[in-house]
């Protein structure tokens, strides 16, 4: 009972906080809609600025709707008795054991995905379409969804069977075994992602522009970086938003450009964007992120090991059948409610990494080119230039436009 109250109070705080931040964000954008911020006055016209404002507001309103749906689902599954019903259903079909546990957990996530389809559909075909970003057809939307669900089952079923087996068999220190298995699984997915997973959704063709290849080659050499190949991804199949990234590691490392990025940016700007991405590698941001995730999942699994024998943990969340599968499921559902308040810390850490990568780009390519590229991308993606500072501090993985550009300009002369 006490735990139910703690859970509900924490949930209420995080929902209200998220709603309040969203409303602040909307009001802040509206208040700055009338004119382009001074630093951008000669780079971005009023029409684009207002489009970005309207787009950001529409997206934030959708986030609010998502928040309501997510909270309703969480309450329906836990205190509303949804898990109890599904547990009984699978018990009748499969008896009790590993398969029942796996089916229970997967069905909860499948139902959440299905319930959220209308929001994804609305986001692409109403909001993005209205602003001219959507390139998807409904057929592609549903094929993507089907592929994602099949992929989720293909990866999720063996993973869950393995984890539940270890939880039941490995005694007091099962959480160490599960942690090793979880880390191995993640590294495996990272390793096979470029060759087996990404091609399920996009086409990758080798970059053909020889002048650009030469320019990129020079940058890599200067930075002492080797890549297996340069590829162009047909991002334009889904949206007009552009990007560039690295994927894979070790020998299979490749550089991927969105076709939309190549279309919009000049060679100098592409080199600057790539130098920023190289900065993430050189400063070991990816490895550090993996290490952080490893430490957090170890702590989480240890905590789950402790919670698993506590009756109040199950009863407090509306479940009457203690066991490995219900413990894992409740943990996965309830944990984000409690860790939500860590969000600003993670965002802060991520923004610090972005500054570091920007400095690297300023040193090895050109800060001016990166600024030009970013302004084009902000413009094309209709990212607001005037986010609410608190909303941004809480959520943004990248520094707000004005601060990021000022930071780059400070490094332009070096
Ligand atoms: Zn970055």
């Amino acid at each position: 009972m006490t735990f139910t109250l703690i859970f509900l109070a924490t949930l209420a705080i995080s929902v209200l906080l998220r709603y309040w931040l969203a409303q602040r964000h909307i009001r802040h954008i509206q208040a700055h809609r009338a004119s382009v911020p001074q630093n951008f006055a000669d780079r971005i016209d009023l029409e684009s600025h207002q489009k970005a404002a309207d787009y950001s507001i529409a997206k934030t309103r959708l986030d609010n709707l998502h928040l309501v749906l997510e909270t309703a689902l969480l309450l329906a599954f836990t205190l509303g008795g949804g898990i109890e019903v599904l547990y009984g259903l699978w018990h009748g079909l499969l008896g009790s054991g590993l398969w029942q546990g796996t089916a229970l957990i997967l069905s909860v996530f499948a139902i959440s995905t299905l319930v959220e389809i209308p929001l994804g559909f609305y986001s692409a075909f109403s909001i993005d379409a209205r602003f001219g970003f959507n390139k998807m057809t409904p057929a592609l939307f549903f094929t993507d969804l089907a592929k994602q669900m099949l992929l989720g089952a293909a990866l999720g079923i063996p993973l869950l069977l393995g984890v539940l087996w270890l939880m039941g068999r490995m005694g007091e220190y099962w959480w160490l075994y599960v942690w090793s298995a979880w880390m191995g699984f993640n590294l495996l997915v990272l390793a096979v992602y470029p060759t087996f997973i990404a091609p399920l959704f996009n086409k990758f063709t080798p970059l053909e522009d020889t002048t650009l290849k030469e320019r990129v080659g020079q940058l890599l050499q200067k930075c002492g970086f080797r890549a297996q190949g340069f590829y162009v991804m047909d991002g334009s199949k889904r949206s007009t938003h552009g990007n560039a990234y690295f994927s894979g590691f070790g020998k299979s490392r490749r550089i991927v450009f969105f076709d939309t990025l190549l279309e919009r940016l000049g060679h100098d700007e592409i080199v600057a964007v790539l130098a920023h991405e190289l900065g993430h590698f050189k400063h070991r941001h990816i490895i550090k992120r993996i290490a952080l995730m490893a430490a957090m999942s170890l702590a989480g699994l240890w905590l789950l090991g402790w919670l698993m024998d506590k009756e109040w943990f199950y009863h407090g969340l509306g479940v009457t059948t203690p066991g490995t599968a219900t413990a894992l499921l409740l943990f996965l559902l309830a944990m984000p409610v409690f860790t939500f308040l860590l969000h600003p810390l993670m965002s802060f850490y991520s923004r610090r990494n972005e500054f570091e990568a920007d400095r690297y780009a300023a040193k090895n390519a050109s800060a001016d080119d990166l600024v030009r590229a970013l302004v084009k991308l902000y413009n094309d993606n209709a990212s607001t230039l005037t986010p609410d500072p608190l909303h941004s501090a809480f959520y943004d993985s990248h520094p707000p436009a004005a601060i990021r550009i000022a930071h780059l300009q400070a490094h332009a002369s070096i």
Side-chain angles (χ1 to χ4, degrees), residues 51 133 240-241 260 264 375-383:
K51 178 180 168 185
F133 296 133
T240 58
H241 296 320
T260 37
R264 285 288 295 143
V375 170
K376 275 191 193 171
L377 293 175
Y378 290 138
N379 214 341
D380 289 358
N381 297 345
S383 317

Side-chain angles (χ1 to χ4, degrees), residues 207-404:
L207 177 67
E208 276 172 7
D209 185 334
T210 41
T211 357
L212 180 61
K213 256 189 349 208
E214 221 167 88
R215 293 286 318 271
V216 169
Q218 281 164 2
L219 175 74
L220 294 187
Q221 204 171 23
K222 185 173 169 193
C223 299
F225 188 89
R226 261 206 298 254
Q228 193 65 301
F230 310 137
Y231 292 86
V232 182
M233 188 188 104
D234 59 345
S236 58
K237 187 167 130 183
R238 294 193 178 80
S239 97
T240 58
H241 296 320
N243 208 345
Y245 69 93
F246 294 91
S247 71
F249 51 112
K251 287 223 169 82
S252 66
R253 199 152 63 184
R254 47 174 75 177
I255 293 175
V256 177
F257 300 100
F258 279 43
D259 54 356
T260 37
L261 186 87
L262 296 184
E263 217 171 87
R264 285 288 295 143
L265 302 185
H267 285 181
D268 291 336
E269 294 158 356
I270 293 171
V271 166
V273 168
L274 196 59
H276 168 93
E277 294 301 323
L278 276 171
H280 282 308
F281 255 90
K282 285 289 163 176
H283 288 291
R284 300 183 173 277
H285 293 159
I286 289 104
I287 307 232
K288 284 180 194 161
R289 192 167 284 265
I290 293 174
L292 188 66
M293 190 207 84
M296 293 205 319
S297 47
L298 185 63
L301 284 166
W302 170 83
L303 181 65
L304 174 58
W306 181 76
L307 288 169
M308 213 165 79
D309 335 306
K310 309 282 182 281
E311 285 263 314
W312 53 260
F313 174 59
Y314 303 90
H315 292 186
L317 294 171
V319 169
T320 54
T321 44
T324 49
T326 38
L328 180 61
L329 180 56
L330 287 176
F331 187 74
L332 292 174
L333 291 177
M335 205 49 200
V337 173
F338 294 98
T339 53
F340 174 71
L341 291 167
L342 294 176
H343 227 105
L345 279 180
M346 300 297 290
S347 304
F348 175 78
Y349 177 67
S350 169
R351 288 195 301 270
R352 219 182 51 175
N353 287 348
E354 293 305 324
F355 282 131
E356 236 171 18
D358 277 350
R359 281 199 293 275
Y360 185 86
K363 209 166 77 190
N364 291 284
S366 143
D368 288 330
D369 289 333
L370 187 53
V371 169
R372 263 191 295 277
L374 286 173
V375 170
K376 275 191 193 171
L377 293 175
Y378 290 138
N379 214 341
D380 289 358
N381 297 345
S383 317
T384 178
L385 301 173
T386 58
D388 172 58
L390 255 187
H391 184 274
S392 171
F394 216 92
Y395 292 113
D396 286 354
S397 60
H398 288 64
I403 297 177
R404 189 167 178 195

